[in-house]
């Protein structure tokens, strides 16, 4: 069973700053990794699939990279609506999440 | 566009069976391109995949819940359903239905979620 680890647990940043979130898999998952954004009281929203492909309607400031066991979600310049929890997912396993909050 | 909507009781007694239904609108559940999943999230915690069903009726469950889970599909109603037996307080969670793309394994569409509390 693959285990996903996300770091950091919490990232405190200001609007306009760059956010870099990490997801590490316990074994190689090739490029089969997705990222989700979840805001309080809402369902998760798919941001990135296959490690680097933006889902429909996702702004270009969101980008994903990586393969094998190490993956990164980058938000190039944080907008107020980007403060949320972010999860990575491989097949039917989710990481524990990274909370991006306002500094 | 495709939308998913969960429905079912918000309160279930311990040891009883939790039953939820997900209605798919704007698209057909009989598409071979998708799995139809249930995912849950206990209050303040992360996401846990419960299981999926394919339009053909084939299923796959989380091994940790397999003994208590049944997922079924009704293609005539464009719905799929979850039954979780012998519930305890640990099953209290927001339950989501979601569409998983076969090719990418990503969950691209989610229902809004429904809170289910297990309490006497």
């Amino acid at each position: 069973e693959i285990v996903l680890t996300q770091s950091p647990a919490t990232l405190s940043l200001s609007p306009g700053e760059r956010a870099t979130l990490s997801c590490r898999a316990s074994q190689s998952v090739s490029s089969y990794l997705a990222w989700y954004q979840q805001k309080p009281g809402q369902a998760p929203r798919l941001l990135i699939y296959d490690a680097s492909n933006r889902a429909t309607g996702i702004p270009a400031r969101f980008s994903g990279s990586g393969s094998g066991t190490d993956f990164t979600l980058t938000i190039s310049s944080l907008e107020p609506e980007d403060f949320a929890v972010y999860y990575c997912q491989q097949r039917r396993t989710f990481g524990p999440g990274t909370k991006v909050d306002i500094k | 566009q495709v939308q998913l909507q969960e429905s079912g009781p918000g309160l279930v007694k311990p040891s009883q069976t939790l039953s939820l239904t997900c209605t798919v609108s704007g698209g057909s559940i009989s598409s071979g391109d998708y799995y139809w999943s249930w995912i849950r999230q206990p209050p303040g915690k992360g996401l846990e995949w419960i299981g999926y069903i394919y339009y053909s009726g084939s299923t796959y469950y989380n091994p940790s819940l397999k003994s208590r889970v049944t997922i079924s599909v009704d293609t005539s109603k464009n719905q799929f359903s979850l039954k979780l037996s012998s519930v305890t307080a640990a099953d209290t969670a927001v339950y989501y239905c979601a569409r998983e793309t076969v090719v990418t394994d990503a969950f691209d569409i989610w229902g809004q979620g429904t809170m289910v509390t297990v309490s006497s």
Side-chain angles (χ1 to χ4, degrees):
Chain A
E1 178 188 339
I2 291 174
V3 176
L4 299 177
T5 305
Q6 292 187 242
S7 61
T10 303
L11 193 55
S12 297
L13 295 168
S14 300
E17 289 192 296
R18 182 184 188 88
T20 303
L21 288 67
S22 175
C23 178
R24 176 164 290 178
S26 58
Q27 62 190 77
S28 177
V29 298
S30 186
S31 294
Y32 297 112
L33 191 102
W35 289 94
Y36 300 82
Q37 176 194 67
Q38 187 178 34
K39 298 178 183 179
Q42 296 185 16
R45 176 175 71 145
L46 177 65
L47 299 175
I48 301 287
Y49 65 94
D50 286 349
S52 60
N53 295 295
R54 274 190 301 277
T56 303
I58 301 303
R61 64 181 181 272
F62 292 93
S63 63
S65 63
S67 65
T69 60
D70 291 305
F71 299 86
T72 300
L73 174 69
T74 301
I75 310 171
S76 59
S77 178
L78 283 164
E79 297 288 339
E81 61 269 26
D82 298 337
F83 293 92
V85 179
Y86 293 83
Y87 294 96
C88 59
Q89 170 249 334
Q90 199 283 326
R91 285 253 162 150
R92 285 111 209 166
T93 298
F94 291 90
T98 290
K99 183 178 182 180
V100 179
D101 65 15
I102 299 176
K103 188 174 182 181
Chain B
Q1 72 279 22
V2 176
Q3 294 183 313
L4 306 182
Q5 178 68 58
E6 305 89 351
S7 59
L11 180 65
V12 181
K13 295 185 186 316
S15 80
Q16 293 191 342
T17 297
L18 178 161
S19 296
L20 297 173
T21 295
C22 182
T23 300
V24 180
S25 59
S28 173
I29 202 170
S30 297
S31 168
D33 294 332
Y34 306 106
Y35 301 120
W36 303 93
S37 282
W38 288 97
I39 296 164
R40 69 181 182 179
Q41 185 172 38
K45 296 188 178 181
L47 299 162
E48 180 181 33
W49 175 78
I50 299 170
Y52 76 63
I53 191 162
Y54 195 49
Y55 79 98
S56 62
S58 61
T59 54
Y60 183 51
Y61 302 138
N62 185 325
S64 69
L65 297 169
K66 185 177 181 179
S67 63
R68 299 194 291 131
V69 172
T70 302
I71 298 176
S72 59
V73 65
D74 186 336
T75 54
S76 68
K77 293 183 178 178
N78 231 28
Q79 295 177 333
F80 62 107
S81 298
L82 168 71
K83 291 189 185 298
L84 181 66
S85 65
S86 305
V87 297
T88 69
D91 295 309
T92 294
V94 175
Y95 285 76
Y96 296 100
C97 56
R99 187 180 81 171
E100 177 186 346
T101 304
V102 170
V103 171
T104 68
D105 288 332
F107 298 96
D108 64 340
I109 297 177
W110 296 65
Q112 65 184 26
T114 188
M115 179 69 199
V116 178
T117 301
V118 178
S119 175
S120 56

